[in-house]
Amino acid sequence: MYEVLDDTAAQVILAIESGDSIRRVAQHLHTPYETVRQAVNRLEDAGYVSNDDGLTIVDERVRDAALELVAASAGVSPPSIEETYIIPQLNDWPFAFTRIDAVYVWTQGGYQVGREPNNYPLFLAVREQDVDAWEGFFESFGLPTAFEPQPRDELDGPLQIVLEPRPSLSIEYVEGYPVIPRAETIEYMRENYAQFQSALAMLDRMYEGLDLADTYQETEGHSHELQQRK
């Protein structure tokens, strides 16, 4: 089994939802289509995956082996920021990027604020019933979890996962990333407009019909007025 399960093949197994196409899995993993196709071919030849009217896992026990391999790999070489965005998508529990990461996703990576490579929290909305499972999952990857960002000097590494438990989730998708709805993200940005003023202008340009100009232009005008008073 393990001679077939390199990191890519293991991630493919973990990302597959029954009936998925290769293209959908590639989008899910943010990995080139051809790389995923070759991994699927190896898994199909080994009898672990079927590709008949969509991808399916032939034996669910393979998922356990795949998770063990990916987690072991993370233990040897800690995941990068980019890899950490993929890790939550390697299991069956629903989640959505929220707060700063919702802004990051909805602006398609165009707006980043308040984080540095050496101090990088990721913000995930999860169901309350899944919190313990998520904590155990991230622990297997050596990623600490909390409900609010922890000080950098209390962490062993630059990455941390900030969980936001909710009774239920409403999820939309942007370029394969699950994220809280755009309207909720905009409301969060308005509540924190000092941080996200320019991101509101960016969203207004990216998506038709939002009509956010009054929000960020009013803010810009107010800021200009305060500067003049000074």
Side-chain angles (χ1 to χ4, degrees), residues 8-10 17 30 37 42 73 76 86 88 101 124-125 130 141 150 156 158 161 165 178 181 197 199 207-208 220 230:
T8 300
E17 295 181 11
H30 305 278
R37 187 189 68 80
R42 296 196 304 272
S73 178
V76 173
I86 294 173
D101 279 306
L124 273 60
D130 298 330
F141 286 88
Q150 300 302 298
D156 293 330
I161 307 297
Q197 177 179 323
Y207 302 99
E208 294 183 1
E220 289 172 351
K230 290 179 183 178

Side-chain angles (χ1 to χ4, degrees), residues 14-161:
L14 293 171
I16 288 174
E17 295 181 11
S18 185
D20 273 352
S21 65
I22 294 175
R23 190 167 303 281
R24 180 172 175 80
V25 173
Q27 183 184 46
H28 203 52
L29 294 174
H30 305 278
T31 300
Y33 174 88
E34 184 60 22
T35 301
V36 174
R37 187 189 68 80
Q38 291 178 9
V40 167
N41 288 344
R42 296 196 304 272
L43 292 167
E44 192 173 13
D45 290 343
Y48 302 144
V49 168
S50 170
N51 191 12
D52 184 15
D53 294 327
L55 298 171
T56 56
I57 304 298
V58 174
D59 186 340
E60 286 295 322
R61 291 175 296 180
V62 177
R63 288 188 187 272
D64 295 333
L67 181 58
E68 179 183 331
L69 177 63
V70 173
S73 178
V76 173
S77 177
S80 65
I81 292 172
E82 292 77 12
E83 290 168 338
T84 305
Y85 275 97
I86 294 173
I87 286 173
Q89 302 185 65
L90 302 181
N91 65 56
D92 297 329
W93 306 301
F95 77 96
F97 289 108
T98 188
R99 295 166 66 172
I100 294 174
D101 279 306
V103 179
Y104 182 67
V105 171
W106 276 110
T107 59
Q108 298 178 27
Y111 192 84
Q112 179 71 283
V113 65
R115 293 184 289 194
E116 300 293 338
N118 65 348
N119 185 15
Y120 202 100
L122 270 75
F123 296 88
L124 273 60
V126 301
R127 297 184 304 186
E128 292 173 350
Q129 68 200 64
D130 298 330
V131 168
D132 289 346
W134 277 112
E135 289 175 333
F137 175 79
F138 285 118
E139 183 180 357
S140 70
F141 286 88
L143 293 169
T145 57
F147 299 116
E148 289 297 335
Q150 300 302 298
R152 175 65 181 88
D153 58 8
E154 295 182 9
L155 303 171
D156 293 330
L159 295 165
Q160 59 177 303
I161 307 297

Side-chain angles (χ1 to χ4, degrees), residues 95-103 105-106 123-126 164 166 168-174 177-189:
F95 77 96
F97 289 108
T98 188
R99 295 166 66 172
I100 294 174
D101 279 306
V103 179
V105 171
W106 276 110
F123 296 88
L124 273 60
V126 301
E164 183 181 294
R166 300 185 177 196
S168 62
L169 294 177
S170 179
I171 302 173
E172 298 184 25
Y173 288 86
V174 177
Y177 290 109
V179 61
I180 62 173
R182 189 173 62 190
E184 183 181 346
T185 303
I186 290 172
E187 183 61 28
Y188 168 75
M189 294 162 71

